[in-house]
């Protein structure tokens, strides 16, 4: 299959590192005009250079703004008034004792992980519908359906994204716009690498260390290794392409078989 996103403009939120950076690079490699987003202008500028180098495309720009706030979202919308592809990747995570998560923390997780996505969908979906083509993708997590006891507030936000994706897909019915969620499993990022080393030590080579971690701490994974960010990016690029025109309102898994069910 040949995926060509030439002429399409894509915004990837929270794309200065990790999965978001991999998605931005893959979209640029497929020919899309890509907009990098993050809160700080310097980190955005650094990520733009990284994506250009990794994709071979110069058609990569940045739009700094804190999308968890109305003011930050307005800055991004002013810089990027119209889109063909919206990837809501922005998210925070962390562990906390369930009964110790206060109201402020519940609100913070909702505003960053959920409301930031809703704001952008609300802003960009009407134009996509008018033009008769668009792709909206929300990055969810296995925690949306396998709620971790130590991250209930995080799991709640990812479950919410599944509902949002399905609901807005119905709003876009028959317009040529698709809306989907991507359920990502345990993925290799800088923070996760440090976490793995903390649990299994520094003696083993990385490939052995991650497999030891998965067997002991994530035994339900069927691939028995961490997912690479590029593997999630591959799914996003496919769903962003014309090839996925009949896929909408779905929750598609790139979880290495982590979720022990046939359906989400």
């Amino acid at each position: 299959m040949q995926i060509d996103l030439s002429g399409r403009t894509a915004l990837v939120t929270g794309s200065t590192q990790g999965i978001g950076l991999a998605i931005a690079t893959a979209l640029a490699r497929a020919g899309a005009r890509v907009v990098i987003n993050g809160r700080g202008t310097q980190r955005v500028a650094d990520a733009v250079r990284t994506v250009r180098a990794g994709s071979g495309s110069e058609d990569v720009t940045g739009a700094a703004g804190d999308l968890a706030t109305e003011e930050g979202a307005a800055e991004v919308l002013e810089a990027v008034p119209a889109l063909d592809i919206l990837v809501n990747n922005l998210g925070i995570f962390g562990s906390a004792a369930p009964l110790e998560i206060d109201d402020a923390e519940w609100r913070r997780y909702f505003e960053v992980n959920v409301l930031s996505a809703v704001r952008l969908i609300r802003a960009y979906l009407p134009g996509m519908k008018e033009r008769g083509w668009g792709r909206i993708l929300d990055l969810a997590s296995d925690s949306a359906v396998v709620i971790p006891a130590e991250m209930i507030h995080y799991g709640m936000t990812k479950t919410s994204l599944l509902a949002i994706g399905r609901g807005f897909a119905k709003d876009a019915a028959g317009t040529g716009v698709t809306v989907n969620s991507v359920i990502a499993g345990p993925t290799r990022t800088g923070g996760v690498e440090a976490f793995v080393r903390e649990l299994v030590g520094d003696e083993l080579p990385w490939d052995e260390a991650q497999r030891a971690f998965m067997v002991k701490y994530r035994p339900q994974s069927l691939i028995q290794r961490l997912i690479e960010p590029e593997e999630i990016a591959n799914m996003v690029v496919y769903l962003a392409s014309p090839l996925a025109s009949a896929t909408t309102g779905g929750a598609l898994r790139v979880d290495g078989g982590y979720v022990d069910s046939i359906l989400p």
Side-chain angles (χ1 to χ4, degrees):
M1 294 187 293
Q2 298 295 320
I3 294 178
D4 184 2
L5 297 176
S6 299
R8 303 297 187 186
T9 299
L11 168 66
V12 185
T13 69
S15 50
T16 59
Q17 62 182 347
I19 294 172
L21 187 65
I23 291 171
T25 302
L27 288 169
R29 195 175 291 131
R33 293 186 295 266
V34 174
V35 182
I36 303 294
N37 163 257
R39 288 181 298 175
T41 54
Q42 186 57 56
R43 291 194 67 183
V44 168
D46 291 343
V48 167
R49 285 191 290 271
T50 298
V51 172
R52 286 177 176 173
S55 66
S57 170
E58 291 298 312
D59 209 357
V60 183
T61 59
D66 184 355
L67 295 172
T69 67
E70 292 184 30
E71 297 78 12
E75 292 174 4
V76 172
L77 290 169
E78 182 178 0
V80 192
L83 278 182
D84 301 295
I85 301 165
L86 169 62
V87 182
N88 287 310
N89 169 75
L90 175 64
I92 55 174
F93 70 94
S95 60
L99 298 179
E100 296 178 8
I101 306 170
D102 60 20
D103 287 1
E105 192 72 342
W106 279 104
R107 291 191 189 97
R108 185 170 78 95
Y109 268 74
F110 183 80
E111 288 170 355
V112 175
N113 292 5
V114 181
L115 195 53
S116 65
V118 172
R119 283 193 183 102
L120 294 186
I121 295 172
R122 197 169 55 207
Y124 288 120
L125 180 55
M128 292 180 181
K129 289 163 66 175
E130 289 176 9
R131 293 187 295 275
W133 200 95
R135 299 287 186 265
I136 295 174
L137 296 159
D138 300 323
L139 263 292
S141 161
D142 55 82
S143 296
V145 289
V146 184
I147 307 296
E150 75 281 4
M151 292 198 296
I152 295 175
H153 52 336
Y154 172 74
M156 173 275 299
T157 63
K158 295 304 181 178
T159 306
S160 297
L161 287 178
L162 300 186
I164 287 165
R166 181 67 184 178
F168 279 110
K170 292 180 178 180
D171 181 78
T175 66
V177 179
T178 66
V179 186
N180 290 290
S181 301
V182 174
I183 297 178
T187 303
R188 179 182 180 180
T189 61
V192 171
E193 283 192 28
F195 182 58
V196 169
R197 289 300 186 186
E198 180 182 331
L199 292 177
V200 305
D202 297 322
E203 296 79 17
L204 294 174
W206 170 250
D207 283 347
E208 293 180 33
Q210 68 163 322
R211 289 185 183 280
F213 166 80
M214 295 300 287
V215 168
K216 183 173 182 179
Y217 296 99
R218 300 291 187 271
Q220 59 269 55
S221 169
L222 300 184
I223 61 173
Q224 297 185 353
R225 63 169 174 81
L226 290 169
I227 298 162
E228 295 295 328
E230 291 76 16
E231 294 176 301
I232 296 170
N234 290 339
M235 174 67 84
V236 172
V237 171
Y238 166 70
L239 292 173
S241 77
L243 299 179
S245 55
T247 302
T248 190
L252 294 95
R253 288 159 49 182
V254 190
D255 69 340
Y258 181 86
V259 178
D260 192 12
S261 67
I262 297 172
L263 297 173

